[in-house]
Amino acid sequence: IGLRALQSTVTDLLHFSSDRDPQRRPFLVRRLLEEILGDLAPQLHAQHIQCVLDVPQDQILAADQEMIRRAVMNLVLNSLDAMPDGGTLTITSAAGPEGIELEVADSGPGLSDEAKRRAMEPFYTTKQGGTGLGLAIVSRIAEVHGGEVLLVNCPDGGAAVTLRIPYAQ
């Protein structure tokens, strides 16, 4: 195991075990997503991944921006891992009566039934060298915001993960 992988594991463990309350402040969802995709632009380009960002310019979420950044980054990196030879990454967001639903979908192979069932378990991984903490962290971030994570296979192939964050009370 390389130093970088070890460092990543330790960072993931620290994030997973931190129990801090979310610092809810309003932020523009699309701006955050654009920053994340900008940070990952070289990797997206290198892997021949097309991005579709279907998020209203003015959509505001009152949540812990750094936690949401971490959750979305984990989801996007999982999608990139699922599409090593290219594909389409689609990020959509919708404001419903209860809160905001943010979906990250890929055109990869999708998830096995076991992977769908166990994906949120800490240390469960299907990736060589994976920590098995990415989706557990995403689930924890949703939980501390009073939300949830939904995982499905898309009808046309690939997987979609929806992060539901309720409006702040």
Side-chain angles (χ1 to χ4, degrees):
I1 191 167
L3 188 58
R4 190 177 220 160
L6 194 57
Q7 186 177 14
S8 174
T9 302
V10 170
T11 301
D12 284 348
L13 276 167
L14 290 171
H15 277 278
F16 184 67
S17 60
S18 75
D19 260 336
R20 74 179 179 91
D21 288 328
Q23 303 300 305
R24 286 183 179 263
R25 290 192 175 68
F27 63 90
L28 288 168
V29 175
R30 186 177 180 101
R31 185 176 301 153
L32 175 68
L33 298 173
E34 287 170 347
E35 287 172 14
I36 291 167
L37 294 176
D39 291 345
L40 294 172
Q43 189 173 349
L44 293 164
H45 179 73
Q47 282 183 235
H48 308 290
I49 292 175
Q50 301 294 315
C51 289
V52 176
L53 187 57
D54 183 11
V55 176
Q57 292 284 352
D58 60 348
Q59 188 175 71
I60 292 175
L61 176 59
D64 188 308
Q65 186 170 344
E66 287 314 303
M67 285 185 173
I68 300 299
R69 177 189 308 278
R70 177 68 188 220
V72 172
M73 182 66 88
N74 284 354
L75 296 178
V76 170
L77 290 173
N78 281 351
S79 290
L80 297 189
D81 287 343
M83 303 182 291
D85 303 318
T88 304
L89 172 71
T90 305
I91 303 176
T92 57
S93 179
E98 320 247 316
I100 297 222
E101 291 193 2
L102 189 60
E103 183 183 85
V104 177
D106 63 60
S107 61
L111 298 158
S112 70
D113 289 341
E114 182 183 23
K116 271 196 301 196
R117 194 176 66 253
R118 299 187 59 200
M120 306 297 170
E121 286 178 24
F123 309 111
Y124 174 78
T125 184
T126 58
K127 290 186 232 171
Q128 184 72 33
T131 63
L133 288 173
L135 285 173
I137 290 169
V138 172
S139 180
R140 181 85 186 105
I141 289 169
E143 211 175 273
V144 299
H145 282 86
E148 63 181 335
V149 179
L150 305 170
L151 196 62
V152 297
N153 281 326
C154 304
D156 300 330
V161 182
T162 303
L163 185 58
R164 279 190 182 155
I165 303 294
Y167 297 120
Q169 297 305 318

